[in-house]
């Protein structure tokens, strides 16, 4: 019980000590105007944030993420086949779904940038 209490005390005091040291060792007393202004990738933060956004770009980005994650799921397949030979049917079905999805997106025209 004594060890748990001392561990909890150290866990509570350590962040307090770090925060106090940060405030004591801070060199900039007054904030700089340029550092205090928001920087949004070169855009003016005072204009409207509701600018038109290309839906085709969004769909292409989502497709890239989906296929990127599926490629990451395909990476351990050689190890799966050597360890568990009965997973071949599952891998074939997974690859078939990937190929059919890619074919559908290709025929739909989502992969073309016009």
């Amino acid at each position: 019980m004594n060890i748990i209490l001392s561990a909890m005390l150290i866990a509570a005091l350590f962040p307090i000590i770090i925060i106090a040291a940060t405030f004591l060792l801070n060199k900039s007393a007054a904030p700089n105007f340029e550092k205090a202004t928001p920087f949004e990738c070169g855009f003016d933060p005072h204009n409207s944030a509701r600018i038109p956004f290309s839906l085709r770009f969004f769909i292409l980005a989502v497709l890239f993420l989906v296929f990127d994650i599926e490629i990451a799921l395909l990476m351990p397949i050689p190890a799966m086949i050597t360890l568990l030979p009965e997973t071949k049917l599952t891998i074939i079905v997974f690859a078939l779904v990937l190929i059919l999805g890619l074919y559908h997106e290709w025929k739909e025209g989502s992969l073309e940038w016009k």
Side-chain angles (χ1 to χ4, degrees):
M1 185 69 174
N2 207 5
I3 294 173
I4 296 173
L5 185 63
S6 62
M8 288 175 56
L9 185 65
I10 290 172
L13 286 178
F14 189 69
I16 293 172
I17 292 170
I18 296 293
I19 291 171
T22 303
F23 282 118
L24 291 175
L25 298 175
N26 191 4
K27 291 184 180 180
S28 64
N32 192 355
F33 178 73
E34 279 81 19
K35 290 183 180 180
T37 58
F39 180 73
E40 297 291 332
C41 302
F43 294 113
D44 186 17
H46 301 293
N47 287 344
S48 175
R50 303 289 179 198
I51 58 174
F53 186 71
S54 174
L55 187 62
R56 293 192 59 80
F57 175 75
F58 176 73
I59 290 173
L60 190 66
V62 169
L63 285 174
F64 172 75
L65 288 175
V66 166
F67 282 111
D68 192 38
I69 290 172
E70 289 171 350
I71 293 298
L73 292 175
L74 287 173
M75 293 293 284
I77 283 181
M80 287 173 49
I81 290 176
T82 57
L83 294 176
L84 302 168
E86 61 269 4
T87 60
K88 289 182 183 179
L89 180 64
T90 306
I91 294 168
I92 290 171
V93 169
F94 183 71
L96 187 64
V97 168
L98 278 179
I99 292 169
L100 288 175
L102 182 63
Y103 179 75
H104 171 72
E105 296 300 329
W106 186 13
K107 286 297 180 185
E108 187 182 60
S110 295
L111 301 176
E112 296 176 9
W113 191 262
K114 294 180 183 179

